[in-house]
Amino acid sequence: MASVTSLTDLVNQRLADALSATLPAADADPLLRRSDRADFQANGILALAKKAKANPRDLATQVVAQVTSGDVIKDIEVSGPGFLNITLTDKAITENLAARYADPQRLGAPYADAPGTTVIDYAQPNVAKEMHVGHLRSAVIGDSVVQLLEFTGENVVRRHHIGDWGTQFGMLIQYLDEHPHELDHKASEVSGEEAMSNLDRLYKAARKLFDSDEEFKTRARRRVVDLQAGDPHTLAMWQKFVDESKIYFFSVFEKLDMEVRDPDIVGESGYNDMLAETCRLLEESGVAVRSEGALCVFFDDIKGPDGNPVPLIVQKSDGGYGYAATDLSAIRDRVFNLKANSLIYVVDARQSLHFKMVFETARRAGWLNDDVKAYQLAFGTVLGKDGKPFKTREGETVRLVDLLDEAIDRATAVVREKDTQRQLSEEEVAERGAQVGIGAVKYADLSTSANRDYKFDLDQMVSLNGDTSVYLQYAYARIRSILRKAGGTHPQARPELGLHEAERALALHVDAFAETVAEAASEYAPHRMTAYLYQLASLFTSFYDKCPVLKAETPAQVGNRLFLCDITARTLHQGMALLGIRTPERL
């Protein structure tokens, strides 16, 4: 179905035509925005008048005379030093929403003009290690950006760059080789928690032996060499750790209500065959040079505390490869094999210097350029209520599954408490509790700009009041309840009816959905969508308080207000889906 031109764009075009008719040589932007004095306000005439050395109010008056009004614009007046206050016709507002209503899948949102291919690197757990609260932001932010970009028509390639390589595996593989049944499953399947328990037990036993037995330590170090050399038996043992870890990873991502597919998991090991060539290309091109035996890239603007340049070490003096070699090889793969135009890395802000150097190295090598860009979507730290990095009472990093389980428990209690009529079965309470709890955690994360730290406060997250996912979910459930109670009366847009002030405010905000999606996608900013949805729910609450729906004065008005309810619900549902959050029909 064809996209629907927003009311903002319709008005913008009318004003641009009027500006051109008034000053044909001018290239002016009306600078249109929503206003509390009218439906829209245009401020662009002030800048245009300054350029033309004209009186702003006189110029504004001339522009108003050129504006075509009647079908879309009801009234336009000059205000202050030369602002234009624009009021739309009720008919235009309702007709535009009716066009969006006819497109239930996209609500009239257009696809991007020139979609490309974006590879997004997010949700990066480590093999044989517990996922902690620090993994939450990468997973949740990355998943929402994927949804936003795909909704605009972008071809998105997901990549989960798991930590599955390194010297620590020598110790683990050697221990497993000497205790071959440690990862054998007595049952045909194990849960994610059991898989992590197996790995944790094995890791602790291996570490204890490594620290106390010099002969085992020597054998373990030899295993690292075997692993890097591609010894088949050693690789088979390594694969057992990867497979066991994936059982755990998938269980956590399932709890987070995220789709993570096995082909999308390409860890550090996936680029091993490219490392030597990456180093050769960098050295032959002069981008990297040898320094004390190591292959390094130097930068004039990056210096250490002593004032000397800090290099990016691509290959160590002993011949081993660092993270930089892997990350640069990944860029080569994503640009030349996956044909990506954009590379997004959802990675902790504390790694910003590393990625700044990696991206600059790739640019010098010609792998990144004006047509192929890389961007670190850096995120801040999850803090406790005390404003310090979120830790357990013992000072340990919080396990992600513990945090999610507590959120689900809190939310389940809220759902059960609100179900005063006992309309939900215990199974339904548990299902809604999971949807509300996980939604609360995701929304709290996404409603904060990614580069900022945020406080993890479960009490606030599951609150029915304020800017929370629960507030939005209950708004959606309330609308669905209204529509069910309407029985045989169906939503129907009635453009001939006048609109109450609260109806206008709600309708104009619904119409801005497509613009908000485009903005959030282009800026990789899910918090733009959360802000829009919270305002949408707030405007619906105001509308519901001031405008009776099922008890409206006439049948036509009932149908029109049900229509406003329904399109608001559809917009809430679609917007929350772009955040990876469920909207239960009943709560």
Side-chain angles (χ1 to χ4, degrees):
M1 182 168 178
S3 61
V4 177
T5 303
S6 71
L7 291 167
T8 305
D9 286 345
L10 286 173
V11 174
N12 214 57
Q13 188 58 55
R14 298 292 173 91
L15 293 181
D17 291 345
L19 285 167
S20 297
T22 306
L23 289 174
D27 182 18
D29 184 345
L31 296 178
L32 198 66
R33 65 179 182 83
R34 290 298 314 280
S35 170
D36 56 2
R37 300 192 175 190
D39 293 333
F40 294 99
Q41 187 176 82
N43 303 336
I45 287 175
L46 299 179
L48 185 59
K50 189 175 181 180
K51 281 186 184 177
K53 295 184 169 58
N55 180 286
R57 278 193 68 90
D58 291 345
L59 182 57
T61 302
Q62 295 174 47
V63 171
V64 168
Q66 297 289 341
V67 173
T68 302
S69 60
D71 57 341
V72 175
I73 296 176
K74 177 183 178 181
D75 184 46
I76 180 168
E77 62 176 15
V78 180
S79 173
F83 303 136
L84 297 180
N85 289 334
I86 303 114
T87 302
L88 306 188
T89 66
D90 292 340
K91 183 172 182 287
I93 294 173
T94 303
E95 285 181 341
N96 229 50
L97 282 198
R100 296 194 182 283
Y101 191 72
D103 180 14
Q105 298 302 315
R106 299 189 56 78
L107 300 170
Y111 288 103
D113 291 334
T117 296
T118 294
V119 174
I120 179 163
D121 188 327
Y122 68 108
Q124 306 113 347
N126 294 308
V127 165
K129 289 186 179 179
E130 190 97 49
M131 289 178 71
H132 54 76
V133 68
H135 291 110
L136 177 67
R137 301 211 72 185
S138 175
V140 170
I141 295 168
D143 186 56
S144 181
V145 173
V146 167
Q147 305 302 329
L148 286 163
L149 289 174
E150 288 185 336
F151 191 76
T152 65
E154 184 78 356
N155 175 38
V156 179
V157 180
R158 311 171 193 208
R159 279 292 176 266
H160 306 297
H161 190 89
I162 65 172
D164 65 351
W165 204 250
T167 56
Q168 73 274 18
F169 284 101
M171 175 185 77
L172 295 172
I173 291 168
Q174 185 60 36
Y175 185 86
L176 184 60
D177 203 29
E178 295 176 9
H179 303 79
H181 301 297
E182 282 293 307
L183 290 183
D184 288 350
H185 296 155
K186 294 181 174 60
S188 57
E189 292 184 9
V190 295
S191 67
E193 279 286 293
E194 289 169 329
M196 191 64 244
S197 176
N198 292 338
L199 291 167
D200 186 57
R201 184 186 68 252
L202 193 150
Y203 181 88
K204 288 177 179 176
R207 168 55 68 181
K208 183 178 180 180
L209 195 57
F210 186 87
D211 291 340
S212 62
D213 188 331
E214 286 299 320
E215 291 185 2
F216 176 79
K217 184 180 291 187
T218 300
R219 296 196 300 274
R221 286 174 173 164
R222 225 178 273 131
R223 276 291 182 179
V224 177
V225 177
D226 293 341
L227 179 64
Q228 293 173 341
D231 172 63
H233 176 68
T234 302
L235 282 174
M237 302 298 283
W238 165 81
Q239 189 64 49
K240 286 189 175 184
F241 285 100
V242 175
D243 292 342
E244 193 80 4
S245 297
K246 282 183 178 180
I247 295 172
Y248 165 68
F249 295 159
F250 285 130
S251 73
V252 177
F253 290 129
E254 183 179 6
K255 184 166 287 191
L256 265 172
D257 199 15
M258 279 176 50
E259 180 189 25
V260 173
R261 301 170 299 214
D262 195 60
D264 300 334
I265 298 176
V266 182
E268 296 168 11
S269 64
Y271 305 102
N272 283 347
D273 293 343
M274 300 177 68
L275 300 180
E277 185 179 21
T278 294
C279 292
R280 179 181 64 77
L281 291 171
L282 292 173
E283 189 168 14
E284 288 179 355
S285 64
V287 172
V289 296
R290 292 287 170 181
S291 176
E292 299 180 14
L295 184 63
C296 305
V297 182
F298 290 91
F299 310 87
D300 293 336
D301 60 336
I302 302 176
K303 293 182 172 60
D306 57 1
N308 293 322
V310 175
L312 180 70
I313 300 175
V314 184
Q315 188 177 27
K316 303 170 189 175
S317 57
D318 63 2
Y321 301 105
Y323 289 123
T326 301
D327 288 332
L328 288 164
S329 297
I331 288 176
R332 288 178 52 219
D333 176 64
R334 293 164 184 185
V335 171
F336 299 110
N337 294 334
L338 300 179
K339 309 298 182 187
N341 312 103
S342 300
L343 309 178
I344 304 173
Y345 293 76
V346 189
V347 182
D348 193 315
R350 289 170 291 188
Q351 297 188 46
S352 293
L353 178 60
H354 170 77
F355 279 99
K356 179 182 179 182
M357 293 193 290
V358 166
F359 295 162
E360 176 57 27
T361 298
R363 275 189 284 272
R364 292 181 187 180
W367 305 334
L368 297 176
N369 50 50
D370 290 342
D371 298 320
V372 184
K373 300 181 185 303
Y375 175 74
Q376 182 194 358
L377 181 48
F379 57 83
T381 304
V382 181
L383 307 175
K385 290 183 182 181
D386 58 2
K388 298 177 181 178
F390 199 29
K391 302 280 187 180
T392 65
R393 290 179 181 175
E394 294 75 28
E396 297 176 356
T397 303
V398 178
R399 296 194 331 151
L400 183 52
V401 289
D402 291 343
L403 180 148
L404 297 178
D405 285 341
E406 185 176 356
I408 291 170
D409 289 344
R410 296 277 194 96
T412 301
V414 171
V415 171
R416 183 175 284 112
E417 181 183 341
K418 290 294 291 183
D419 183 28
T420 55
Q421 306 279 325
R422 296 294 179 264
Q423 296 178 330
L424 301 176
S425 67
E426 273 303 305
E427 184 178 337
E428 288 172 325
V429 168
E431 179 187 37
R432 304 296 195 279
Q435 293 173 347
V436 171
I438 297 302
V441 170
K442 288 184 176 183
Y443 188 89
D445 194 312
L446 297 172
S447 60
T448 303
S449 177
N451 59 6
R452 290 176 52 200
D453 299 342
Y454 83 97
K455 291 184 180 180
F456 194 92
D457 184 349
L458 270 179
D459 292 330
Q460 175 57 31
M461 288 179 187
V462 299
S463 172
L464 295 170
N465 302 310
D467 188 5
T468 67
S469 172
V470 190
Y471 175 67
L472 303 183
Q473 288 170 319
Y474 268 94
Y476 176 80
R478 177 195 286 180
I479 297 173
R480 298 304 302 164
S481 175
I482 293 169
L483 294 170
R484 286 192 297 271
K485 290 176 182 176
T489 306
H490 299 292
Q492 184 179 12
R494 302 299 293 261
E496 74 277 9
L497 295 180
L499 295 175
H500 185 280
E501 180 185 348
E503 292 177 295
R504 294 177 63 83
L506 176 61
L508 286 167
H509 194 70
V510 169
D511 189 69
F513 172 72
E515 296 169 1
T516 304
V517 171
E519 181 184 65
S522 65
E523 297 178 14
Y524 312 136
H527 71 280
R528 303 283 187 202
M529 180 56 61
T530 63
Y532 169 85
L533 293 172
Y534 175 60
Q535 181 67 9
L536 179 63
S538 299
L539 287 169
F540 174 78
T541 299
S542 178
F543 153 76
Y544 187 69
D545 289 343
K546 297 174 182 177
C547 302
V549 177
L550 300 179
K551 294 183 179 180
E553 294 178 3
T554 66
Q557 200 171 54
V558 172
N560 199 57
R561 287 180 177 172
L562 284 172
F563 156 71
L564 280 174
C565 288
D566 201 6
I567 195 166
T568 299
R570 293 183 185 187
T571 306
L572 276 171
H573 175 77
Q574 183 59 73
M576 294 286 269
L578 295 176
L579 301 176
I581 298 174
R582 304 276 181 178
T583 43
E585 295 284 308
R586 299 173 187 265
L587 274 176

